Amino acid sequence: VRTPSGIARVVEHVSELPELPASIIRLYADCETRAPTPDGEGLSPYQGAKACGWAVTWDDHPFAYYMPIRHREERWNLPIDVVVRWLNDAVRRSEEHVNHNVKFDAHFMLDDGIEPASRMVCTLTRAKMVDSDRHGGHGLKPLAREWLKLPMEEVDAVDKYLSGVQ
């Protein structure tokens, strides 16, 4: 799917997996999850939840990529082993993995055989350190809107697309 500015891309075929640079300073990788049953919650790999896709970008790369692997609609999925190899390669090339609640995603990485980066940076923890009493919570979208003045239409468009294929 292309969003209005074209910066978020869903990888629909393994040939569309982006070529990685030789080294990455900051890897931004976020997993979307799904529960083992349609009515469950996808919050823990220890309770049967699985990563159903990974959103990834790095450094100042102009695009973010979403790689579906376990969506209920099978035709959207890339081969899991190919995505796992690609992600392991990306993690090995990176100095750090930056994520909002990085511990959550690291559990899902380990569950799929992806070795987490040696240095993980949690923007959720840092946001709480900056403003522990923040009204409205520390969610990524509200923080991006308020602190960075970023429009979140891109994220909303991707969320809408994903809700139709998960």
Side-chain angles (χ1 to χ4, degrees):
V1 68
R2 298 231 185 223
T3 57
S5 72
I7 63 168
R9 298 178 173 180
V10 174
V11 178
E12 296 176 344
H13 188 271
V14 294
S15 64
E16 298 173 1
L17 285 168
E19 186 174 329
L20 294 165
S23 65
I24 298 170
I25 296 170
R26 288 181 191 89
L27 176 71
Y28 305 94
D30 180 57
C31 77
E32 296 302 318
T33 62
R34 83 170 219 210
T37 61
D39 56 343
E41 291 186 20
L43 299 179
S44 172
Y46 309 110
Q47 296 173 334
K50 294 288 187 184
C52 66
W54 286 91
V56 179
T57 193
W58 55 89
D59 298 331
D60 59 355
H61 189 69
F63 302 108
Y65 302 91
Y66 181 75
M67 297 166 278
I69 56 172
R70 286 191 189 93
H71 286 259
R72 286 185 172 78
E73 184 64 46
E74 293 289 326
R75 66 188 170 110
W76 299 107
N77 295 326
L78 297 171
I80 294 170
D81 61 324
V82 173
V83 173
V84 166
R85 273 195 310 274
W86 189 93
L87 282 169
N88 265 316
D89 191 24
V91 169
R92 276 192 296 276
R93 294 174 188 222
S94 67
E95 293 179 25
E96 59 187 29
H97 173 193
V98 179
N99 183 284
H100 203 68
N101 196 5
V102 73
K103 179 180 165 186
F104 176 85
D105 293 77
H107 285 289
F108 285 95
M109 283 182 150
L110 284 170
D111 189 54
D112 274 339
I114 302 163
E115 279 297 317
S118 59
R119 180 160 189 250
M120 293 185 271
V121 177
C122 184
T123 58
L124 175 61
T125 300
R126 288 183 177 193
K128 289 178 179 181
M129 291 169 58
V130 168
D131 187 0
S132 63
D133 298 327
R134 185 177 189 285
H135 294 291
H138 296 87
L140 187 57
K141 284 184 190 179
L143 289 174
R145 278 188 185 108
E146 293 174 32
W147 289 5
L148 303 174
K149 308 297 184 217
L150 291 175
M152 297 307 293
E153 290 81 18
E154 290 285 329
V155 175
D156 294 337
V158 172
D159 286 348
K160 183 178 178 182
Y161 172 80
L162 293 176
S163 69
V165 297
Q166 285 183 359

